[in-house]
Amino acid sequence: MGRMAVIRTQRGFDRLVNFSDAVVAIAITLLILPLVDASPEVVKEGIGPYFNDNFWQLLAFAISFVVIARLWMVHHEVFDWIDGYTNGLLWLNILWLAAIVFMPFTANVLSDSPNGQPDVYALYVGNLLLATLTMQVMELVIVRTPGLLLPEAAGQADLLRGWTFVILMAVALALAVLFPHVGMFWLLILFLSKPLHILLTRLFRSKASAGA
């Protein structure tokens, strides 16, 4: 990673960021299209019965929207740490965008499938894990590539926070496949990311102190 050449052209960097923002905006907008198409059904059935009959579809939309929004916020924060890029970072960003673009499809598969389908959960949560893991690898490349991270951003990088989220997402994937009757509610364990991050930070600090 340290041997990657850092490309610093303002036009190239702006294009990378603007393209990423546009792709994320399109992907997050596509999530609502199945619900827009269902508006005649809402008028026919009424809002209450529609929400009751389409709970999983609405839940898939809500989860996907929140996850994409969070991933974009992390992307926005991380790319504020730099003013250049490497070819490796560029391709990782494309992989991350591919995972984002795939989310409307996996969300639709989830909402249209019967409950308790482990393969469907594997597809959906696996997609979320790919996007989360790719974002974390981008952070790692940025931190480990000399000259890429801006000096004023050096104290903001916290790789452990990102790995905590990756670990919890992987656990949610395993649990959703092994115990599919709980369904997407396994994703609620992601709310443990902050306390787990605090715990791991204290653990690593105590080990570092003991080693010193």
Side-chain angles (χ1 to χ4, degrees), residues 132-148:
T132 304
L133 180 59
T134 307
M135 187 70 250
Q136 181 62 17
V137 175
M138 282 198 286
E139 286 192 49
L140 185 62
V141 168
I142 288 171
V143 171
R144 296 289 180 86
T145 302
L148 188 54

Side-chain angles (χ1 to χ4, degrees), residues 120-201:
V120 173
Y121 296 148
L123 176 68
Y124 182 77
V125 184
N127 185 195
L128 303 184
L129 177 59
L130 175 61
T132 304
L133 180 59
T134 307
M135 187 70 250
Q136 181 62 17
V137 175
M138 282 198 286
E139 286 192 49
L140 185 62
V141 168
I142 288 171
V143 171
R144 296 289 180 86
T145 302
L148 188 54
L149 187 67
L150 293 171
E152 58 269 26
Q156 300 180 37
D158 185 357
L159 293 176
L160 187 57
R161 180 182 59 183
W163 286 121
T164 300
F165 206 79
V166 169
I167 290 169
L168 288 175
M169 188 70 78
V171 171
L173 172 60
L175 291 174
V177 172
L178 294 173
F179 306 101
H181 59 281
V182 179
M184 299 312 298
F185 290 109
W186 283 120
L187 288 173
L188 292 176
I189 70 170
L190 297 176
F191 286 107
L192 297 175
S193 60
K194 187 170 183 178
L196 180 59
H197 175 249
I198 294 173
L199 178 64
L200 291 177
T201 300

Side-chain angles (χ1 to χ4, degrees), residues 37-108:
D37 293 338
S39 56
E41 187 179 347
V42 177
V43 174
K44 183 179 178 181
E45 295 183 11
I47 294 178
Y50 175 80
F51 272 66
N52 184 60
D53 295 340
N54 297 274
F55 172 77
W56 288 108
Q57 184 178 17
L58 295 168
L59 181 63
F61 164 76
I63 292 173
S64 302
F65 188 94
V66 170
V67 169
I68 292 178
R70 182 192 179 279
L71 286 168
W72 178 83
M73 286 188 286
V74 173
H75 187 277
H76 175 72
E77 177 185 355
V78 168
F79 274 72
D80 266 353
W81 299 347
I82 59 178
D83 61 1
Y85 58 96
T86 66
N87 284 329
L89 183 62
L90 179 63
W91 283 106
L92 281 169
N93 191 67
I94 290 174
L95 177 60
W96 179 78
L97 290 174
I100 296 293
V101 168
F102 201 57
M103 281 186 195
F105 168 72
T106 57
N108 284 343

